[in-house]
Amino acid sequence: RPDQTESRSITPVNQMQMEIGFVYEKTALELNNFTHPNILTKFGISNRLELRLVTDIGTYSLNTQGKKIQQTTLNPTLIGCKVNIFQEKNYLPKTSLILHVGLPAIASKEYTDNNVFNTFRFLMQHTLNEKVSLSYNLGIEWDGSTPNATGIYTLALGYALSKKLGSFIELYGFATQYVATMHQYDMGFTYLLSKDMQFDVSGGIGLNKIAPDYFVSCGFSFRTGH
């Protein structure tokens, strides 16, 4: 957490990490999305492998013709892993790969007709100096409802303001067949409450017409199992 760019780092061996976040998103079509919460659970298996579980509860609210339609759902659960491919060397970035399988069977009834689906991302990171890092992701996702894939890109610049306070700015987007690419920008801050607990806040805006107007988010992460 909290940026859209997945971290290249692997959770330490025999440790569990949980990242819990809440997001409010507003679109120009009077559609409001509230995620409450998104939970990512990770467990370190080795120096090169972590297991992952993603659960996501969302409320979708649509105002149309003076009426408000609202629905809360458990989105399809994702299970998967992150694999460390290679370390940073000269101009070669630190690189990892995330693989997920989406399970509509572990979701609200609205998704029961969907198919099992896959997602994957390559995660890259360059350490520019002691305080600045450049990270980027490239990936493809399916949602199980259609055969069309969504391409994903992210680019994030992180800056350590102090030993406990971090910041980032980020550009990211989603490209789907037959639909214009959605581009968004966000920024945020992280604060280490202790060596094993972090709080974060962030927000962003859409950069083209099909993107959401804006979103705000907050969350916290913690690690156990030393």
Side-chain angles (χ1 to χ4, degrees), residues 3-19:
D3 53 3
Q4 303 295 318
T5 302
E6 292 277 6
S7 168
R8 171 263 166 207
S9 300
I10 299 292
T11 303
V13 178
N14 293 330
Q15 294 188 30
M16 183 182 73
Q17 182 168 313
M18 294 191 71
E19 302 177 9

Side-chain angles (χ1 to χ4, degrees), residues 26-32 61-64:
K26 176 71 171 63
T27 77
L29 300 176
E30 299 303 320
L31 176 63
N32 304 317
S61 177
L62 176 64
N63 295 317
T64 177

Side-chain angles (χ1 to χ4, degrees), residues 175-203:
T176 304
Q177 190 177 15
Y178 309 123
V179 179
T181 300
M182 180 189 301
H183 300 286
Q184 294 177 256
Y185 162 84
D186 67 346
M187 64 179 297
F189 300 91
T190 61
Y191 184 77
L192 285 172
L193 301 171
S194 71
K195 67 177 182 178
D196 294 317
M197 186 174 292
Q198 176 181 278
F199 174 76
D200 66 73
V201 293
S202 61

